Amino acid sequence: MSHRQLSDEEAREKAQELKTYLWGFGLAAVLTLIPFGLAVFTPIATATLYWVIGVCALIQIVVHFRFFLHITLSRNTREDLQLILFTVLILAIMVGGTIWILFNLYYRMMPSMVP
Amino acid sequence: MSSTTVKHPGLNLGHAHGEAHEASEELVFGFWVFMMSDLILFGLLFATYVTMLGGTAGGPGPSELFELKSAFIETTLLLVSSFTFGMASLALKYRTDRKVLVAWLIITLLLGLAFLAHELYDFHKMFSEGGVPSRSGFLSAFFALVPLHGLHVTGASIWLIALLGQIAVHGLDTPTKTGLMRLAILWHFLDVVWVGIFSLVYLGGTA
Amino acid sequence: MSEETSWLLGRLDASALPFWDALQHPTTPNVVNAVIASGAGAMVLLGALAAVVFLTWTKRWRWLWREWLTSPDHKKIGIMFIMIALVMLARAVIEAVFMRLQQAVGLDGGFLTAEHFGQLFTTHGTIMVFFMAMPFLTGIINYVMPLQIGARDLSFPVMNSISLGLTAAGAAIVMVSLILAPFSTGGWSGYPSFTESATNPGAGVDYWIWAVTLSTLSSTLTGINFAVTIYKRRAPGMQWFRLPLFTWTALCTSILMIFGMPPLTVATALLALDRYLDFHFFTVDLGGNMMNYINLFWAFGHPEVYILILPAFGIFSEVFSTFSGKKLYGYGALVIATMAIAVLSFTVWLHHFFTMGQSAHVNAIFGIATMLIGIPTGVKIYDWMLTMFRGRIRFSVPMIYAVGFILLFVLGGLTGIILAVPSVDYQIHNTLFLVAHFHNMLIPGLLFGMLAGTNLWFPKAFGFRLEERWGRRAAIGWIVGFMLAFFPLYALGILGMPRRSAAFFEPAYLPWTMAAMVGAVVILFAMLFLLIQLWVSVRDRHANRVPGGDPWDGRSLEWSIASPPPAYNFPVIPEVHSRDAYMRQKETGGGAHPRPDAYGDIEMPASSAMGPIIGIAGFLMAFGLTWYQWWLVVAAGAVSLVALIARGFVRNATRVIPAAEVRREHEAWIATLDSLTPITRADEQTRANRGLPASPIEGAVQ
């Protein structure tokens, strides 16, 4: 098969997948611009800003997984999705646990380490 | 949605690639599992960074050292490189002229190298302002987390150069194709980690 | 030292020799310790020399390189892993005997210096965990798991060989530290700030860091390899709930390796940054915080415990069901319990540092999570007992280990529940009670399992059975020796004797330390019996051959092929229709060894030098880093990078075994089978056992 002959179906699929990448790129760009823009140009309260940064980051990570790494909810990629979810669980336990334990220690014994 | 049976994360090559599509299932899945292990590594370094935020020991802190402008430039470089690697993947899948594929790969490589150069320049500036890892626990944590990501990008760039060499020597055979698909996953994955870094370290630090 | 030699040798000089101190300061304790340390170093040198001479004498270098070191065959790699484990086991047991000896005479002193004693317990722990237990279980899974799921090899055979190279490099680093001393004195957990360069500037901690790092890398790669193999290489019809239980535990262990190893990588890497580049993660000054290390280390350490113990659970499941002649009781419950243990193991790491100073409610939550693990473990114990219930039990060697395991492991588990209560832990933490507890888990729960597995699968790997009588003596020696050596430590712990004490001043401890010493000697004899068992078995191998491949009337697919199996394992990939696939095949009309309609060409991975190259380069990098020989680090690093890149350019990494050859070998084996006389289970331990059990219909009762 020569490289230029794509069947109609393939051509459609290609257009579709190109669109996926473009969407991913666009969404990621917007989700980057929002927190940067807010941080630089507007004097909003720090707490609100943290929330915006966090939420945008989480959405952007999902965008990357969905549009660039093609992790979907379809049945035959379940294994990959399960693996991600398990990783997220372990991350939550380890990262959350670490922060919880150490800050608990800081408050009790090393108040200078609390930022 | 598409005629391609999905066998693994990342863009699937589809049946037109026969052998490479079959071979990729195990290889890419294995690499994906490795990425998950790596993700734990980064997660723990993020956690360490958070727990060391207070350990500035009177030295310079985030707001004195970080510049949002350069963080933004680095973010842009990496995001665009992620997109151009996506274009390379599409060129691979739909058998566009090999020159197009190589061109996208080289653009990606250049963007990656530009990212690294900018990051090194950043570190250099931090060093000159007294932001060295031996100064405090906080700076130690920063210089473990962010340069590790940089090392990953370096490794991925070396791999990309090696794959360009393989394309030159062997053409687009099955091992080259599966190599490109795994590298694509690594490249996108590094962008995901960077989202964490710019949000937590740079935006969180200067906010 | 001149400028040039320091460039070449870094900080390595004559003071690294184990007898240097005694030459400088010839006091009595110094001389005694130097003699012991130099003796150990000489043993390593002589052992290596003997191996070199033997290989040269018998002209086997080529054979070693081609047939073993570069082989991607999972069976050979598994055997090499187990050999590393056995060598390291021998060293670590001898070290343990020295420690017991020291404490037996340790009232007001003893004969070892505190420094030497510290190195002993550090190497003992490091070896037992990273270079005995890990390679042992990796080796057994490597050998057995692909056979159980009907695969021809692991998913990534060359990566498997690299894993072996990395583990061997780490083990070699620990061995070299006997000749170019010292090793770390920081214990197997290497807590800072003691292990920081401010307090411990020598090479010892660096040896430890790099040895452990090599082992961690190896285990991460191994975990990925096993998990992907079980996910992607199962034979047709081998659904999840048809997997043999050993394969289930292998899967859970490999998932724990994938997710449990990174915290250790982070912990040791950050410690290395502190020591080499003056970072401040765990230092006492400039914003460092050593509690971070402790937290990271145990976030690895607790999953690690279950990495060690789950494969043994799998082996015992196979042993109980095979030697009771019954299917496993409660298969589903056992699978779910295994998964539950795997997940729960990530939620309990704080119980290793209850006394670090966090609030009581944090301790309570982790204490409760710890106790929860007792539930799935208890389920397993009952399932194993019910598997034996009304079975026709044969007390062969693996079964003796298994029964010993159940009794002792339950006791160990109970002391674990005691330790899981934070308020009790405050009283007995850091005492010998803890040492007794984890040895009580790991010796029955890991080592007995591995030894049972070795006895069970040895005939599969080598084609002849291990001798039974010496095997029984070894098993009973281990059980009795363990009880004598470690039960007294519970008492000592409650009396308040701290762990890791080189000397003590409380006469009340003495009877207990003497009793423990006797136990250590019994264990030493058990080790000796293991050696004798191996020797006698090899000597009498012709009388004990099992060409039929199924000496124990086995249940899973590994018993359906020849012993030793051909390189490609299965002439034709089997199709699986139920649990206990091979037993079903024997029971139904098709016969135990059906002739396939057709044979196909088999594609196998070709040999590759990647494993030895990466292993040697890894060893040299670790050695160079330890002694500050930077040229060596750069050179070895460059070699591995170039090797990895060059590997990407290799094509034709497979070799093809033609169908005709497969047919010839398979038909020859079937002809051998026809010449064998089937035996009933009663004759299993006699020389009549040629590996062909009587068919279930005429012979054994189910």
Side-chain angles (χ1 to χ4, degrees), chain B residues 108-132:
Chain B
T108 310
L109 176 64
L110 291 176
L111 287 166
L113 294 178
F115 168 84
L116 284 173
H118 202 278
E119 192 169 52
L120 281 177
Y121 169 73
D122 251 14
F123 292 161
H124 174 74
K125 234 169 69 184
M126 282 178 72
F127 268 57
S128 62
E129 289 162 13
V132 289

Side-chain angles (χ1 to χ4, degrees), chain C residues 412-431:
Chain C
L414 288 174
T415 59
I417 301 285
I418 294 172
L419 279 166
V421 182
S423 49
V424 176
D425 186 78
Y426 262 83
Q427 303 303 316
I428 49 179
H429 82 108
N430 210 34
T431 67

Side-chain angles (χ1 to χ4, degrees), chain B residues 3 13 36 82 98 101 115 118 124 132 135 173 201:
Chain B
S3 64
L13 285 178
M36 293 297 117
S82 208
R98 185 183 301 171
L101 167 64
F115 168 84
H118 202 278
H124 174 74
V132 289
R135 177 62 190 82
D173 60 352
V201 177

Side-chain angles (χ1 to χ4, degrees), chain A residues 101, chain C residues 188-189 191 291 293-306 344-358 362-363 366-367 370 373 416 419-422 425-426 429-430 434 437-438 441-442 499:
Chain A
I101 293 165
Chain C
W188 85 280
S189 47
Y191 279 7
M291 294 187 289
Y293 177 92
I294 296 170
N295 175 68
L296 283 171
F297 184 86
W298 290 112
F300 142 81
H302 205 85
E304 169 72 10
V305 171
Y306 289 92
L344 280 175
S345 74
F346 284 105
T347 63
V348 299
W349 75 94
L350 183 127
H351 69 215
H352 295 271
F353 47 92
F354 275 145
T355 56
M356 198 160 79
Q358 57 279 7
V362 181
N363 279 349
F366 279 90
T370 305
I373 294 194
L419 279 166
V421 182
D425 186 78
Y426 262 83
H429 82 108
N430 210 34
L434 172 76
H437 162 69
F438 69 73
M441 301 315 269
L442 288 177
R499 65 191 292 205

